[in-house]
Amino acid sequence: MVDWSGGNDTGPRPCKDAIWICVVRNGRAESPVYLRNRVLAEEWLANLITGEQHARRRLCIGFDFPFGYPVGFARALAGTDDPLVVWDWFEAHIQDSPKANNRFDLAGEINQRFGGQGPFWTNALKHDIAGLPRTKATYQNPFPDRRAVEHLAKGSFTCWQLAGAGAVGSQVMMGMAVLARLRRRFADQIAVWPFQPLEKPVAFVEIWPSSTVGPAPEGMIKDAWQVQQVALGLARRPAAKLTMQLDIEAPEEGWILGIEQENRTISPPPLRNDCFALPAGIAWTPVDEALDLLRQRLNPVTGEDRQAVVKSMGRVLAEDVVARRSNPPHPNTAVDGYGFAGAFPDGEHVLPLVSGRAAAGAPFDGQVPKGSAIRILTGAVLPQGVDTVILQEDVTAQSDRIAFRGPLKAGANTRKAGEDIVGGDTALKAGRVLTPADLALLSAIGVSEVAVRKPLRVAVISTGDELIEPGAEPALGQIFDANRPMLLAMVDRFGFTPIDMGCVADDREALRAALDQAAQKADVILTSGGASAGDEDHVSSLLTDAGAMQRWRIAVKPGRPLALGMWKNVPVFGLPGNPVAALVCTLVFARPAMKVLAGSEWREPQGYNLPAAFSKRKKPGRREYLRARLRDGQVEAFASEGSGRISGLSWAEGLVELEDGARDIQPGDPVRFIPYDSFGL
């Protein structure tokens, strides 16, 4: 990564406003290189490209200046929209040496082609230049002031400004000329993004370090720090994220790598239509095998966006988050007290006090001499000459000295820089659902915005002629729909977005229309009822007709039939119509599957082995789940196992999971109790 300069030679001593380059190989950064002028930098880059080609390594080089001008300028200047022709134009017209160049004069000549007052502005030389305004006061621009990407990159500067704080206009002119020569020198070996496919051994990309890198550590030049951190960040960027960020349409103006393009969001590939297919010969599927198959075959189906950290609670991270700075950023004190250097043996000690103090946010500006102490408050950066702090309660203090007893170890009551997390390390991994504690961590390491998954949208449909809405007057044989309110609430508690698609009668065309609408609105569809093989089981029938239906006969009670399929590339979970079975199948199968579809991690519910307060004999062959609750350290089971007893779901606080084998449970025997909380309810 290269921090460029459009000015003259800055001398042999490393300084800001020169050229800084950092190379990262295999995730490790070399020391930043200082180059005092463009002649040296061009030759250094040429040697780098030659060396990497001889080593048969691919090379990405980022430069911190725009690769193109706002739309219309290229054609007006060079007669074509091709920005690389503009590079060649500047290479032919720029006169550059370490001590002088003609960039201001050339800008004035260009301006005179367009009326004499723009697009370039700021003459920093002592003499006037025809056509080049000294300030923006008389500036008139026949072209857009900014590129499209600069409207998104808050704080970026226009490429028309040639001098002054933050100006990049001179860098563009001088940089384009150098890059044009490098492209000619390494013909057919360099691809320029986003103008060309990255199919060459060397890639040139545009970067903007200030958008991603925090303040430099004390004593390090900002530009050197920034190129190092940008190089490390790019080297560690997940492949999927980098692929998304390279998928940019900006054929004339160019683009800054890492800035999201408006209205261009990445979507993961759809699930294969056969992702639910069972291996040949499988009839009854054990619960653990069914869960393993789901875990292996599912992938995220949600797109990505960026969210401010303060608004990201409950969202799923779409990429790893790297600490922008260490926490703590500097060595500091953990207590109120007095600071000094070194350890002290057993016995009495008296130290003189220096004037002043160190406090959080108000560091001491000076050095504490050896053998002296300073007043220091919790959180304060340790002054120079201080590495140990003694509690104020252990000190007798006067205006000019303190007395205390040893022993005291060196480093006592202090915190090292980065002892929590080191800048550049991964703080949180992709797939994590962000918690309030995570928001504190992200803020502490300087992260203000994160890439997150869009919330998973889950459509819920109830099916059956017998169902009516609560509050309606039931006819003979009709019942109120209990599943849909329950499932919508469960979806919401899981952190997803519920979409109520209503209740659909046992009519194929009505159900087909409902599934069509749900597929347009949602990422996942949950249906209840119609998942078996009866005459009115239209969910199974329609999914079968679509060529994407699998009826998993799972060895589980309650539940068993679970229809899994695809409707217009949207996964469908066909749940049993019985409310108890619908809840159990949702918790055991649909919940972890939807977590993966949402971009999160597959997570088993946390269960606890606790003594039973009930008796139960169970035959081998299938997994059973009992409605249960915890009282006085023992697990009570609901009196009836009837799957129509909805009151048992409300009575319960979780489920007892009974393994596939036979059990003869007596009071006091251990059973696995899984609280509803462990399922996310």
Side-chain angles (χ1 to χ4, degrees):
M1 297 293 108
V2 183
D3 185 280
W4 199 247
S5 173
N8 295 332
D9 188 291
T10 54
R13 186 174 181 177
C15 64
K16 64 178 184 177
D17 299 327
I19 298 172
W20 287 92
I21 304 177
C22 184
V23 176
V24 168
R25 291 187 180 88
N26 298 319
R28 298 181 64 86
E30 299 179 0
S31 297
V33 176
Y34 166 74
L35 295 160
R36 57 193 290 182
N37 59 57
R38 287 177 296 280
V39 173
L40 294 175
E42 182 176 343
E43 195 58 31
W44 192 97
L45 289 167
N47 291 334
L48 174 68
I49 294 171
T50 299
E52 295 304 296
Q53 286 189 323
H54 286 165
R56 304 184 67 82
R57 288 190 291 257
R58 300 192 68 189
L59 176 63
C60 174
I61 309 181
F63 297 87
D64 71 331
F65 58 81
F67 281 6
Y69 284 95
V71 62
F73 178 74
R75 179 165 293 277
L77 181 72
T80 175
D81 295 330
D82 185 351
L84 298 180
V85 174
V86 176
W87 287 22
D88 294 334
W89 191 95
F90 276 107
E91 195 273 328
H93 291 80
I94 281 288
Q95 300 170 13
D96 191 12
S97 70
K99 294 296 184 181
N101 62 74
N102 69 333
R103 68 186 189 274
F104 292 109
D105 296 298
L106 185 59
E109 293 176 15
I110 295 172
N111 282 359
Q112 287 183 303
R113 296 188 179 194
F114 307 117
Q117 292 180 296
F120 295 102
W121 59 281
T122 309
N123 173 13
L125 302 181
K126 294 181 179 180
H127 62 274
D128 291 336
I129 296 176
L132 183 62
R134 287 196 174 274
T135 68
K136 203 176 181 181
T138 58
Y139 167 73
Q140 294 179 4
N141 193 350
F143 307 104
D145 192 51
R146 295 175 181 270
R147 301 180 297 162
V149 68
E150 285 145 5
H151 290 289
L152 301 175
K154 304 303 181 184
S156 60
F157 283 74
T158 173
C159 55
W160 306 120
Q161 182 182 350
L162 297 179
V168 297
S170 292
Q171 292 176 235
V172 179
M173 280 189 184
M174 316 307 288
M176 285 181 174
V178 171
L179 298 192
R181 282 194 294 273
L182 288 173
R183 288 184 68 237
R184 187 169 63 249
R185 184 168 178 175
F186 297 95
D188 297 324
Q189 299 298 306
I190 296 174
V192 181
W193 178 85
F195 310 135
Q196 299 173 316
L198 295 182
E199 299 169 350
K200 306 293 184 182
V202 181
F204 284 174
V205 302
E206 180 184 335
I207 59 171
W208 183 35
S210 296
S211 69
T212 57
V213 178
E218 186 175 352
M220 187 172 185
I221 292 174
K222 176 183 176 182
D223 294 344
W225 164 255
Q226 287 189 336
V227 290
Q228 181 188 73
Q229 295 306 303
V230 171
L232 282 169
L234 183 58
R236 295 168 178 173
R237 197 162 300 175
K241 183 64 176 179
L242 184 57
T243 298
M244 179 193 73
Q245 292 179 338
L246 289 171
D247 183 19
I248 294 294
E249 293 290 339
E252 180 179 349
E253 294 186 332
W255 201 263
I256 299 169
L257 182 60
I259 301 296
E260 301 288 347
Q261 195 165 23
E262 285 184 327
N263 303 319
R264 290 178 60 82
T265 57
I266 187 170
S267 296
L271 298 174
R272 303 188 312 274
N273 277 350
D274 63 350
C275 66
F276 295 128
L278 291 173
I282 292 290
W284 286 93
T285 308
V287 170
D288 288 338
E289 187 173 327
L291 293 174
D292 285 341
L293 289 169
L294 289 173
R295 184 190 296 111
Q296 294 166 13
R297 298 178 180 187
L298 298 180
N299 56 260
V301 297
T302 52
E304 300 177 12
D305 59 17
R306 298 195 70 81
Q307 190 69 262
V309 164
V310 295
K311 297 181 179 180
S312 63
M313 170 64 188
R315 299 291 291 274
V316 179
L317 277 180
E319 62 180 31
D320 294 351
V321 178
V322 174
R324 296 182 62 180
R325 71 183 304 193
S326 297
N327 185 50
H330 309 287
N332 66 88
T333 175
V335 299
D336 290 343
Y338 296 86
F340 38 77
F344 282 81
D346 193 11
E348 297 181 358
H349 305 278
V350 177
L351 296 180
L353 276 175
V354 301
S355 60
R357 69 171 192 172
F364 178 71
D365 185 16
Q367 183 168 351
V368 178
K370 180 71 173 178
S372 296
I374 187 173
R375 176 67 166 148
I376 192 166
L377 303 181
T378 302
V381 175
L382 297 183
Q384 293 184 47
V386 172
D387 60 16
T388 305
V389 175
I390 188 168
L391 284 162
Q392 64 182 18
E393 292 84 355
D394 296 333
V395 170
T396 299
Q398 294 181 346
S399 61
D400 61 345
R401 72 191 68 190
I402 61 171
F404 59 92
R405 291 183 179 275
L408 191 67
K409 294 181 179 179
N413 301 311
T414 63
R415 295 180 286 227
K416 298 178 181 178
E419 70 177 27
D420 181 19
I421 187 169
V422 177
D425 285 355
T426 299
L428 295 173
K429 301 287 288 184
R432 182 175 179 87
V433 180
L434 292 173
T435 67
D438 294 335
L439 271 54
L441 174 60
L442 292 170
S443 299
I445 59 177
V447 175
S448 61
E449 189 179 71
V450 287
V452 292
R453 291 278 179 182
K454 295 181 178 179
L456 187 77
R457 301 167 300 168
V458 183
V460 178
I461 304 173
S462 288
T463 68
D465 287 337
E466 74 280 13
L467 299 179
I468 61 172
E469 297 289 347
E473 190 63 35
L476 183 63
Q478 289 186 316
I479 59 174
F480 298 117
D481 181 12
N483 282 357
R484 207 170 83 254
M486 175 182 70
L487 294 173
L488 288 166
M490 292 173 72
V491 167
D492 184 62
R493 291 296 293 269
F494 293 153
F496 310 140
T497 301
I499 301 174
D500 187 358
M501 299 302 298
C503 187
V504 182
D506 286 321
D507 178 273
R508 287 173 61 88
E509 295 311 311
L511 182 57
R512 185 193 304 276
L515 289 172
D516 285 344
Q517 293 178 24
Q520 293 177 355
K521 297 179 179 180
D523 306 302
V524 184
I525 301 171
L526 293 185
T527 69
S528 62
S532 295
D535 293 341
E536 299 299 328
D537 291 329
H538 295 301
V539 172
S540 296
S541 179
L542 284 173
L543 291 175
T544 300
D545 290 348
M549 161 66 187
Q550 297 292 329
R551 187 177 294 107
W552 286 23
R553 300 174 68 194
I554 300 174
V556 63
K557 177 185 178 181
R560 288 197 289 187
L562 184 64
L564 300 172
M566 304 291 295
W567 189 263
K568 297 190 174 179
N569 289 324
V570 176
V572 179
F573 288 81
L575 303 169
N578 183 287
V580 177
L583 179 134
V584 169
C585 285
T586 299
L587 293 182
V588 176
F589 302 108
R591 177 199 61 88
M594 289 191 295
K595 287 284 187 182
V596 174
L597 295 170
S600 187
E601 303 167 333
W602 182 282
R603 180 163 295 183
E604 302 286 348
Q606 177 66 56
Y608 305 91
N609 289 325
L610 298 168
F614 62 91
S615 301
K616 162 77 175 175
R617 296 191 69 179
K618 173 190 174 295
K619 296 179 180 180
R622 60 181 177 176
R623 186 80 49 91
E624 291 191 22
Y625 292 91
L626 309 179
R627 286 149 283 177
R629 66 185 185 184
L630 188 61
R631 289 292 183 272
D632 298 324
Q634 294 186 315
V635 180
E636 298 178 352
F638 189 58
S640 171
E641 294 183 22
S643 56
R645 298 284 295 272
I646 302 176
S647 62
L649 295 176
S650 181
W651 172 91
E653 297 169 352
L655 301 175
V656 162
E657 182 182 57
L658 302 180
E659 59 270 31
D660 300 349
R663 285 291 303 267
D664 184 1
I665 300 170
Q666 299 300 321
D669 290 347
V671 293
R672 186 170 189 252
F673 175 68
I674 309 175
Y676 282 153
D677 283 351
S678 291
F679 291 109
L681 294 185

